[in-house]
Amino acid sequence: MAHRITLIPGDGVGPEVAEAARRCIEATGAKIEWEEVIAGQDAQVKFGELLPKNVLDSVKKNKVALKGPIITPIGEGFRSVNVAIRQALDLYACVRPAKSYPGVKSPYQDIDLVIIRENSEDLYAGIEFEEARPETKELISQIEKFSNKKIRPDSGISIKPISKFASERIIRFAFEYALKSKRKKITLIQKSNIMKFTDGLFLKVGRAVAKEYEGMVIFEEALVDNMAMQLVQKPRNYDVLVLPNLYGDIFSDLCAGLVGGLGVAPGANIGDDLAVFEAVHGSAPKYKGQNKVNPAAMILSGVLMLRHIKEDKAADNLENAVRAVLAEAKSVTYDLKPSRDDPSAVGTKEMADAIIDKLKK
Ligand code: NAD
């Protein structure tokens, strides 16, 4: 029976990379019936809203979606369609593998890390108070009363909630992921020496959960600043990293950088019942409609999606096809060439064609 999957092409370069991924996934022979729904700028023009209800309804019904990136409008009230989708569907775990592929230029080889980022709270909860507003002033005075600390009256405030519930859920997810994918070690990253009641709680919960997995998965803890240095110096010492939301976002890009950049960094947002697969990169609006950007991150997100729906053979074949095209470094986009203006660079569509050719062989 065909898998019914929601396809959200996104905006900016989203529709181009989503189309490349759809074609490659279909070329694996996996039976998929796509249900295409529109979110982002095209939805704003067509339906007057960035995230129409039918988008969320479609994912809830089909349980799995492949999504292109969506622009976050600056200063228009709506925080981010991407964050809104994750929150509305309670996709609490963001899984971002960072893996070296031969042919992709990077100072490092043989990197195989997985970032597991908490997706539902922390400074990304969207609880913010603008500078100089009456409610902000009131909040400042209450905080000063309770904390005995002074806050400058012209401050903006962002709230960082980290709960026991969400920490336990993501850390348990990380351990289960490690077991399932036969990974050996989890490093929990935080700044508990400074933020004792938020990062400190994340760490305390982590230590408790780790006890249940003793003898099965190695557990270690690291401070976020030190970890930034360790990852640059000795990335091969690490395996699975579990982090609160903000550090997870930053370290996802750092790890993408370790393996050659955003063009090859796939991702997944996973909840108890639903999963949305998307590249780490954004909608790169300046390249919209130019058939220029690298589709590999989106296609590799498709590989993760195929594994999720238990189409393992199709996933392996597609990953091998991507690996072969990257290794040849011939039919690849500008970002994978020795210089950005290399005339032999191909477009998004042509790189997908080359991957499809490998699948046929
Ligand atoms: P971006 O990832 O869109 O682009 C930054 C730069 O990275 C680009 O200019 C380009 O040089 C390079 N790049 C990105 N993707 C590439 C690819 N596939 N191939 C080759 N090069 C690539 O980040 P940004 O400019 O900070 O964000 C643009 C918009 O996307 C913003 O509105 C942002 O909020 C949004 N965004 C969306 C998502 C998402 O949909 N999940 C994620 C990040 C950013």
Side-chain angles (χ1 to χ4, degrees):
M1 214 176 67
H3 304 274
R4 212 171 153 73
I5 289 177
T6 301
L7 181 67
I8 309 168
D11 54 27
V13 297
E16 298 161 57
V17 290
E19 175 60 9
R22 187 187 61 75
R23 288 174 53 231
C24 289
I25 291 166
E26 284 178 356
T28 65
K31 297 263 170 299
I32 294 187
E33 245 179 63
W34 302 100
E35 183 172 289
E36 192 171 323
V37 287
I38 305 174
Q41 291 195 328
D42 290 353
Q44 179 73 52
V45 172
K46 229 171 157 173
F47 308 116
E49 49 183 334
L50 287 162
L51 182 56
K53 182 174 170 291
N54 74 319
V55 174
L56 298 175
D57 288 346
S58 172
V59 185
K60 282 182 195 159
K61 184 180 67 180
N62 297 326
K63 314 274 188 226
V64 181
L66 184 66
K67 172 187 163 297
I70 295 175
I71 293 165
T72 301
I74 295 171
E76 284 177 38
F78 204 105
R79 273 169 202 289
S80 154
V81 179
N82 308 300
V83 174
I85 290 175
R86 291 171 204 159
Q87 288 182 345
L89 300 174
D90 201 17
L91 304 171
Y92 59 86
C94 180
V95 180
R96 291 175 164 176
K99 194 162 156 181
S100 301
Y101 288 100
V104 179
K105 57 181 186 311
S106 151
Y108 307 93
Q109 298 302 321
D110 305 321
I111 301 218
D112 187 9
L113 292 165
V114 180
I115 302 257
I116 300 197
R117 161 187 172 194
E118 205 287 322
N119 240 351
S120 72
E121 52 183 24
D122 192 359
L123 282 163
Y124 282 36
I127 310 167
E128 299 207 273
F129 298 88
E130 195 178 347
E131 158 264 321
R133 289 181 73 91
E135 60 271 26
T136 313
K137 289 188 186 153
E138 160 122 29
L139 181 67
I140 289 176
S141 81
Q142 290 293 324
I143 295 173
E144 287 182 338
K145 193 167 112 200
F146 288 127
S147 67
N148 255 335
K149 297 242 161 80
K150 276 263 159 259
I151 298 177
R152 291 190 183 95
D154 57 350
S155 298
I157 308 270
S158 296
I159 303 287
K160 171 175 167 133
I162 291 210
S163 68
K164 224 163 133 178
F165 170 83
S167 301
E168 179 170 347
R169 182 168 73 161
I170 191 70
I171 294 162
R172 201 173 283 291
F173 178 97
F175 275 97
E176 288 299 319
Y177 177 94
L179 280 183
K180 243 190 286 162
S181 48
K182 301 196 172 37
R183 289 184 172 266
K184 297 196 166 50
K185 184 168 82 170
I186 290 187
T187 307
L188 181 147
I189 299 171
Q190 33 65 43
K191 189 72 182 168
S192 56
N193 52 339
I194 304 292
M195 284 162 281
K196 297 186 194 312
F197 301 135
T198 49
D199 286 28
L201 180 61
F202 192 74
L203 176 60
K204 189 168 109 185
V205 171
R207 286 176 179 162
V209 173
K211 283 210 171 77
E212 297 173 34
Y213 293 86
E214 237 163 35
M216 292 181 270
V217 182
I218 300 165
F219 174 71
E220 62 175 30
E221 39 194 74
L223 292 174
V224 65
D225 43 348
N226 179 256
M227 193 63 190
M229 184 185 74
Q230 297 293 339
L231 268 176
V232 171
Q233 287 191 324
K234 304 176 220 153
R236 277 178 290 268
N237 282 3
Y238 299 95
D239 191 355
V240 176
L241 313 178
V242 63
L243 313 90
N245 209 338
L246 173 65
Y247 309 146
D249 194 11
I250 297 167
F251 276 64
S252 299
D253 275 33
L254 188 152
C255 290
L258 293 176
V259 298
L262 289 171
V264 289
N269 298 295
I270 300 183
D272 284 333
D273 198 26
L274 311 175
V276 175
F277 295 82
E278 63 176 338
V280 175
H281 67 73
S283 49
K286 67 178 175 193
Y287 294 127
K288 177 185 159 101
Q290 293 181 27
N291 187 37
K292 186 165 168 89
V293 300
N294 190 343
M298 191 70 191
I299 297 169
L300 290 169
S301 303
V303 169
L304 300 178
M305 186 198 83
L306 286 167
R307 294 229 163 86
H308 179 82
I309 60 172
K310 305 209 160 37
E311 290 283 353
D312 288 314
K313 187 91 187 77
D316 290 346
N317 290 344
L318 183 51
E319 187 176 11
N320 286 337
V322 173
R323 185 182 283 117
V325 168
L326 294 174
E328 285 173 9
K330 203 167 105 245
S331 300
V332 293
T333 44
Y334 75 98
D335 55 311
L336 297 177
K337 292 288 183 181
S339 75
R340 298 211 138 211
D341 51 3
D342 191 312
S344 70
V346 303
T348 310
K349 180 180 173 297
E350 291 69 30
M351 185 163 168
D353 290 342
I355 293 167
I356 292 168
D357 279 348
K358 294 283 176 206
L359 278 166
K360 286 184 188 151
K361 282 182 186 150

